[in-house]
Amino acid sequence: MKFARYSINGRSPKIGLVTENQLIDLSNVVPSMQALIALSADGLAMVQQHAASSQSIPLADVKLHAPLLPRRNVMCLGLNYAEHVRESLTAQGQTVDLPQFPVVFTKATTAVSGPTDPIPYDPQVSESMDFEVELAVIIGKQGKNIPVEQAMEYVFGYTVLNDITARDLQRQGKQFFKGKSLDGSCPIGPWIVSRDALPHPHDLNIRCLVNDVEKQSSNTRHMIFDIPATIAYLSRGMTLLPGDIIATGTPDGVGFARTPPEFLRPGDVVHSIVEGIGEMKNVVTAV
Ligand code: MG
């Protein structure tokens, strides 16, 4: 199943079930995506039953919003694709060593935006805005010290995420947080695909296009720490909560590591695509 947050004519966002090019309103069944994620298997079956007897709306008639507004920071893996490790460390004149443990940082909740929202560009803040398409995992139930073998049971579903990064701010301090957390720098969407509907999350083509030119193209099979390893690592001594978002890292092709480096400029159109989920289109917009 694909679950979206949508609105019509600027009204407040509701939850919907996406089928092909249609959307079925679920607002009579669940008030929020957080509530939907908390449903049991029986609850989800009820949602499906309701949808089967409900009228649908053409997807083209709705605005899609970020499918989930997380309660706490988005957790992100850095340097989780070997080719991206190589390009990043080489571009910074460092020796290329693959990480022994996941590199974890977070993005502020206020950075989260929708699949068609603008990516704000303010040259007073940063002139080195970069793109990083990623597969994001949505946690479905609370857990701590989750064994690798059971980790997938904690996944509710998946969405596409672009970890837009102000490279200068990322490098100024020793923490990534500031450069990763500008408003609108975490578009997610276009919807959440439930775990059962995406049975091979480690074999998905993942791409980012800027102005229709392919900049990143890889496959999730190249992750260094896969989804179970990441969940097991993050949950060690630290509770994961339903609705947590985990970005699993970006493949190679990012702007700063190119020769010469390429950064986003106002008017640039960023397409973020993950096979089996869908695509987002965000336009860089001067503010
Ligand atoms: Mg990233």
mmCIF file of all heavy atoms in Angstrom, residues 156-175:
data_model
loop_
_atom_site.group_PDB
_atom_site.id
_atom_site.type_symbol
_atom_site.label_atom_id
_atom_site.label_comp_id
_atom_site.label_asym_id
_atom_site.label_seq_id
_atom_site.Cartn_x
_atom_site.Cartn_y
_atom_site.Cartn_z
ATOM 1 N N PHE A 156 8.058 0.069 8.972
ATOM 2 C CA PHE A 156 6.683 0.267 8.490
ATOM 3 C C PHE A 156 6.685 0.385 6.973
ATOM 4 O O PHE A 156 5.840 -0.188 6.290
ATOM 5 C CB PHE A 156 6.072 1.536 9.096
ATOM 6 C CG PHE A 156 4.715 1.854 8.523
ATOM 7 C CD1 PHE A 156 3.592 1.162 8.933
ATOM 8 C CD2 PHE A 156 4.570 2.818 7.526
ATOM 9 C CE1 PHE A 156 2.339 1.417 8.379
ATOM 10 C CE2 PHE A 156 3.329 3.086 6.963
ATOM 11 C CZ PHE A 156 2.215 2.376 7.391
ATOM 12 N N GLY A 157 7.629 1.152 6.459
ATOM 13 C CA GLY A 157 7.673 1.346 5.014
ATOM 14 C C GLY A 157 8.843 2.214 4.600
ATOM 15 O O GLY A 157 9.784 2.430 5.380
ATOM 16 N N TYR A 158 8.730 2.737 3.375
ATOM 17 C CA TYR A 158 9.858 3.442 2.763
ATOM 18 C C TYR A 158 9.364 4.685 2.027
ATOM 19 O O TYR A 158 8.238 4.726 1.535
ATOM 20 C CB TYR A 158 10.549 2.541 1.733
ATOM 21 C CG TYR A 158 10.927 1.188 2.275
ATOM 22 C CD1 TYR A 158 10.045 0.103 2.166
ATOM 23 C CD2 TYR A 158 12.146 0.982 2.916
ATOM 24 C CE1 TYR A 158 10.374 -1.145 2.674
ATOM 25 C CE2 TYR A 158 12.480 -0.257 3.429
ATOM 26 C CZ TYR A 158 11.605 -1.318 3.307
ATOM 27 O OH TYR A 158 11.920 -2.548 3.815
ATOM 28 N N THR A 159 10.261 5.665 1.915
ATOM 29 C CA THR A 159 9.961 6.805 1.075
ATOM 30 C C THR A 159 11.262 7.315 0.458
ATOM 31 O O THR A 159 12.343 6.818 0.770
ATOM 32 C CB THR A 159 9.202 7.910 1.862
ATOM 33 O OG1 THR A 159 8.668 8.865 0.948
ATOM 34 C CG2 THR A 159 10.098 8.627 2.864
ATOM 35 N N VAL A 160 11.133 8.281 -0.465
ATOM 36 C CA VAL A 160 12.306 8.904 -1.074
ATOM 37 C C VAL A 160 12.645 10.153 -0.262
ATOM 38 O O VAL A 160 11.737 10.844 0.215
ATOM 39 C CB VAL A 160 12.018 9.301 -2.548
ATOM 40 C CG1 VAL A 160 13.271 9.843 -3.219
ATOM 41 C CG2 VAL A 160 11.446 8.124 -3.332
ATOM 42 N N LEU A 161 13.917 10.416 -0.114
ATOM 43 C CA LEU A 161 14.353 11.595 0.660
ATOM 44 C C LEU A 161 15.528 12.220 -0.080
ATOM 45 O O LEU A 161 16.347 11.514 -0.665
ATOM 46 C CB LEU A 161 14.769 11.129 2.054
ATOM 47 C CG LEU A 161 15.267 12.137 3.100
ATOM 48 C CD1 LEU A 161 14.923 11.640 4.506
ATOM 49 C CD2 LEU A 161 16.769 12.402 2.994
ATOM 50 N N ASN A 162 15.585 13.549 -0.103
ATOM 51 C CA ASN A 162 16.808 14.188 -0.592
ATOM 52 C C ASN A 162 17.440 14.956 0.561
ATOM 53 O O ASN A 162 16.836 15.883 1.097
ATOM 54 C CB ASN A 162 16.554 15.085 -1.810
ATOM 55 C CG ASN A 162 17.851 15.279 -2.597
ATOM 56 O OD1 ASN A 162 18.896 15.579 -2.015
ATOM 57 N ND2 ASN A 162 17.801 15.066 -3.905
ATOM 58 N N ASP A 163 18.626 14.538 0.918
ATOM 59 C CA ASP A 163 19.368 15.126 2.037
ATOM 60 C C ASP A 163 20.130 16.353 1.530
ATOM 61 O O ASP A 163 21.354 16.343 1.393
ATOM 62 C CB ASP A 163 20.311 14.036 2.594
ATOM 63 C CG ASP A 163 21.232 14.543 3.686
ATOM 64 O OD1 ASP A 163 20.936 15.601 4.265
ATOM 65 O OD2 ASP A 163 22.242 13.859 3.948
ATOM 66 N N ILE A 164 19.348 17.408 1.211
ATOM 67 C CA ILE A 164 19.940 18.651 0.697
ATOM 68 C C ILE A 164 20.902 19.224 1.761
ATOM 69 O O ILE A 164 20.559 19.296 2.942
ATOM 70 C CB ILE A 164 18.827 19.678 0.366
ATOM 71 C CG1 ILE A 164 17.879 19.133 -0.724
ATOM 72 C CG2 ILE A 164 19.428 21.027 -0.035
ATOM 73 C CD1 ILE A 164 18.460 19.019 -2.106
ATOM 74 N N THR A 165 22.093 19.582 1.307
ATOM 75 C CA THR A 165 23.169 19.922 2.242
ATOM 76 C C THR A 165 23.850 21.226 1.858
ATOM 77 O O THR A 165 24.234 21.401 0.696
ATOM 78 C CB THR A 165 24.230 18.795 2.224
ATOM 79 O OG1 THR A 165 23.584 17.546 2.531
ATOM 80 C CG2 THR A 165 25.335 19.057 3.236
ATOM 81 N N ALA A 166 23.999 22.122 2.838
ATOM 82 C CA ALA A 166 24.813 23.323 2.634
ATOM 83 C C ALA A 166 26.246 22.931 2.986
ATOM 84 O O ALA A 166 26.607 22.841 4.154
ATOM 85 C CB ALA A 166 24.312 24.452 3.524
ATOM 86 N N ARG A 167 27.065 22.644 1.958
ATOM 87 C CA ARG A 167 28.396 22.064 2.196
ATOM 88 C C ARG A 167 29.279 22.962 3.052
ATOM 89 O O ARG A 167 30.047 22.478 3.879
ATOM 90 C CB ARG A 167 29.111 21.789 0.873
ATOM 91 C CG ARG A 167 28.477 20.712 0.025
ATOM 92 C CD ARG A 167 28.521 19.348 0.695
ATOM 93 N NE ARG A 167 27.827 18.380 -0.153
ATOM 94 C CZ ARG A 167 27.363 17.221 0.281
ATOM 95 N NH1 ARG A 167 27.509 16.875 1.546
ATOM 96 N NH2 ARG A 167 26.733 16.411 -0.531
ATOM 97 N N ASP A 168 29.218 24.297 2.816
ATOM 98 C CA ASP A 168 30.074 25.192 3.603
ATOM 99 C C ASP A 168 29.702 25.120 5.089
ATOM 100 O O ASP A 168 30.557 25.019 5.961
ATOM 101 C CB ASP A 168 30.001 26.635 3.067
ATOM 102 C CG ASP A 168 28.585 27.095 2.735
ATOM 103 O OD1 ASP A 168 27.627 26.307 2.884
ATOM 104 O OD2 ASP A 168 28.435 28.260 2.319
ATOM 105 N N LEU A 169 28.400 25.133 5.367
ATOM 106 C CA LEU A 169 27.960 25.071 6.770
ATOM 107 C C LEU A 169 28.257 23.701 7.371
ATOM 108 O O LEU A 169 28.551 23.576 8.556
ATOM 109 C CB LEU A 169 26.462 25.382 6.880
ATOM 110 C CG LEU A 169 26.042 26.769 6.385
ATOM 111 C CD1 LEU A 169 24.539 26.948 6.544
ATOM 112 C CD2 LEU A 169 26.775 27.860 7.156
ATOM 113 N N GLN A 170 28.158 22.658 6.543
ATOM 114 C CA GLN A 170 28.440 21.295 7.029
ATOM 115 C C GLN A 170 29.891 21.199 7.525
ATOM 116 O O GLN A 170 30.179 20.511 8.501
ATOM 117 C CB GLN A 170 28.220 20.284 5.896
ATOM 118 C CG GLN A 170 28.462 18.833 6.316
ATOM 119 C CD GLN A 170 28.457 17.870 5.140
ATOM 120 O OE1 GLN A 170 28.441 18.275 3.974
ATOM 121 N NE2 GLN A 170 28.467 16.593 5.443
ATOM 122 N N ARG A 171 30.787 21.908 6.852
ATOM 123 C CA ARG A 171 32.222 21.762 7.133
ATOM 124 C C ARG A 171 32.728 22.744 8.175
ATOM 125 O O ARG A 171 33.816 22.567 8.723
ATOM 126 C CB ARG A 171 33.017 21.986 5.842
ATOM 127 C CG ARG A 171 32.654 21.045 4.728
ATOM 128 C CD ARG A 171 33.509 19.785 4.730
ATOM 129 N NE ARG A 171 32.822 18.676 4.076
ATOM 130 C CZ ARG A 171 32.556 18.610 2.768
ATOM 131 N NH1 ARG A 171 32.941 19.575 1.974
ATOM 132 N NH2 ARG A 171 31.915 17.572 2.264
ATOM 133 N N GLN A 172 31.945 23.851 8.414
ATOM 134 C CA GLN A 172 32.449 24.899 9.309
ATOM 135 C C GLN A 172 32.738 24.386 10.711
ATOM 136 O O GLN A 172 33.734 24.732 11.328
ATOM 137 C CB GLN A 172 31.453 26.058 9.389
ATOM 138 C CG GLN A 172 31.619 27.061 8.267
ATOM 139 C CD GLN A 172 30.489 28.068 8.213
ATOM 140 O OE1 GLN A 172 29.641 28.112 9.094
ATOM 141 N NE2 GLN A 172 30.473 28.871 7.165
ATOM 142 N N GLY A 173 31.829 23.561 11.232
ATOM 143 C CA GLY A 173 32.030 23.055 12.582
ATOM 144 C C GLY A 173 32.404 21.589 12.510
ATOM 145 O O GLY A 173 32.671 21.055 11.441
ATOM 146 N N LYS A 174 32.427 20.936 13.621
ATOM 147 C CA LYS A 174 32.768 19.514 13.603
ATOM 148 C C LYS A 174 31.501 18.650 13.520
ATOM 149 O O LYS A 174 31.585 17.434 13.452
ATOM 150 C CB LYS A 174 33.583 19.154 14.840
ATOM 151 C CG LYS A 174 34.975 19.787 14.830
ATOM 152 C CD LYS A 174 35.980 18.938 15.540
ATOM 153 C CE LYS A 174 37.316 19.636 15.676
ATOM 154 N NZ LYS A 174 38.086 19.671 14.445
ATOM 155 N N GLN A 175 30.334 19.280 13.570
ATOM 156 C CA GLN A 175 29.073 18.540 13.494
ATOM 157 C C GLN A 175 28.367 18.914 12.190
ATOM 158 O O GLN A 175 28.431 20.057 11.754
ATOM 159 C CB GLN A 175 28.171 18.915 14.679
ATOM 160 C CG GLN A 175 28.794 18.629 16.041
ATOM 161 C CD GLN A 175 28.628 17.193 16.465
ATOM 162 O OE1 GLN A 175 27.702 16.520 16.036
ATOM 163 N NE2 GLN A 175 29.534 16.709 17.294
#
